Amino acid sequence: AVDLVPILFAFLAIGYVLGRQVDELRRLATTDSLTGLANRRAFQLRLRDEQRRARRYPSPLSLLLIDIDGLKRINDERGHAAGDEALQTAAQAVNRSMRVTDFGARWGGDEFAIVAPNTERSAAHRLAHRLVGELDQHARGGNLDVTVSIGVATLDPGTQPLATVESLLSAADAALYRAKNAGSNRV
């Protein structure tokens, strides 16, 4: 008679190890390695999910697009290590500013994004100003002054039933450009 217990334990151990490796690969595929935030791909999936949820249970959905002011200048004047530090500083401020239900990501380059479910325009603006305040507070205690410009857009399925993720992104992007054109460190 063959004792199946050791074979069963071997299969369980292999299954456990493979499961952990799959989890790690999934994390690596959805996380920006420099900032530790979600990457653009993970963010796009989450934004689409939240937009569907906002439509299904009519509730507002806000999007913040965040651009680090003068990252190229920081890189040129202080080097890429300082540029990486600026990106990490901004990512930490994004993390500290968000509520539990919000989802932040590195959108790409020097841009970040936050999707804020069930968040009206005024609350999204408070979130944006909280993020600016986090960076202001960091600048007082650090050697790197990082500021951001933020574009805020809100989708309200009750009044905009046909709004799409693309229209929300476009509105937030337009708001970001208005903030940048008005100067730095603006919402």
Side-chain angles (χ1 to χ4, degrees), residues 5 20 33 38 50 82-83 116 121 150 158:
V5 173
R20 301 290 291 186
S33 62
E50 294 299 346
R121 183 180 313 274
I150 304 174

Side-chain angles (χ1 to χ4, degrees), residues 139-186:
R140 285 187 216 115
N143 64 350
L144 188 61
D145 187 13
V146 179
T147 62
V148 294
S149 297
I150 304 174
V152 179
T154 301
L155 179 144
D156 184 353
T159 59
Q160 304 163 302
L162 300 178
T164 63
V165 165
E166 291 75 19
S167 64
L168 183 62
L169 282 164
S170 179
D173 197 43
L176 173 61
Y177 279 105
R178 285 194 304 275
K180 290 205 80 68
N181 287 335
S184 60
N185 208 25
R186 307 233 179 208

Side-chain angles (χ1 to χ4, degrees), residues 16-185:
Y16 176 78
V17 169
L18 289 175
R20 301 290 291 186
Q21 288 177 339
V22 166
D23 290 345
E24 179 64 10
L25 286 173
R26 186 176 295 122
R27 186 191 68 74
L28 290 171
T30 60
T31 303
D32 176 67
S33 62
L34 179 65
T35 64
L37 290 175
N39 63 18
R40 184 180 185 130
R41 180 180 180 186
F43 184 81
Q44 288 174 311
L45 292 172
R46 179 67 175 265
L47 180 59
R48 290 199 185 285
D49 288 346
E50 294 299 346
Q51 187 255 358
R52 279 192 217 89
R53 187 175 292 117
R55 260 203 195 133
R56 186 172 190 182
Y57 308 104
S59 62
L61 176 66
S62 291
L63 174 66
L64 285 70
L65 290 183
I66 303 141
D67 185 84
I68 296 177
D69 298 320
L71 184 63
K72 181 179 178 351
R73 180 185 45 76
I74 292 170
N75 280 329
D76 291 347
E77 293 175 4
R78 299 185 63 186
H80 288 281
D84 287 352
E85 183 183 341
L87 287 165
Q88 291 166 338
T89 297
Q92 291 164 4
V94 165
N95 259 333
R96 287 191 304 267
S97 301
M98 292 187 303
R99 304 164 306 172
V100 175
T101 56
D102 299 335
F103 188 81
R106 184 170 179 197
W107 186 244
D110 61 351
E111 291 187 331
F112 297 87
I114 298 173
V115 62
N118 201 23
T119 304
E120 295 177 352
R121 183 180 313 274
S122 60
H125 275 271
R126 285 192 301 274
L127 171 59
H129 286 288
R130 192 166 53 243
L131 174 55
V132 168
E134 282 286 337
L135 287 168
D136 285 343
Q137 191 171 14
H138 178 270
R140 285 187 216 115
N143 64 350
L144 188 61
D145 187 13
V146 179
T147 62
V148 294
S149 297
I150 304 174
V152 179
T154 301
L155 179 144
D156 184 353
T159 59
Q160 304 163 302
L162 300 178
T164 63
V165 165
E166 291 75 19
S167 64
L168 183 62
L169 282 164
S170 179
D173 197 43
L176 173 61
Y177 279 105
R178 285 194 304 275
K180 290 205 80 68
N181 287 335
S184 60
N185 208 25

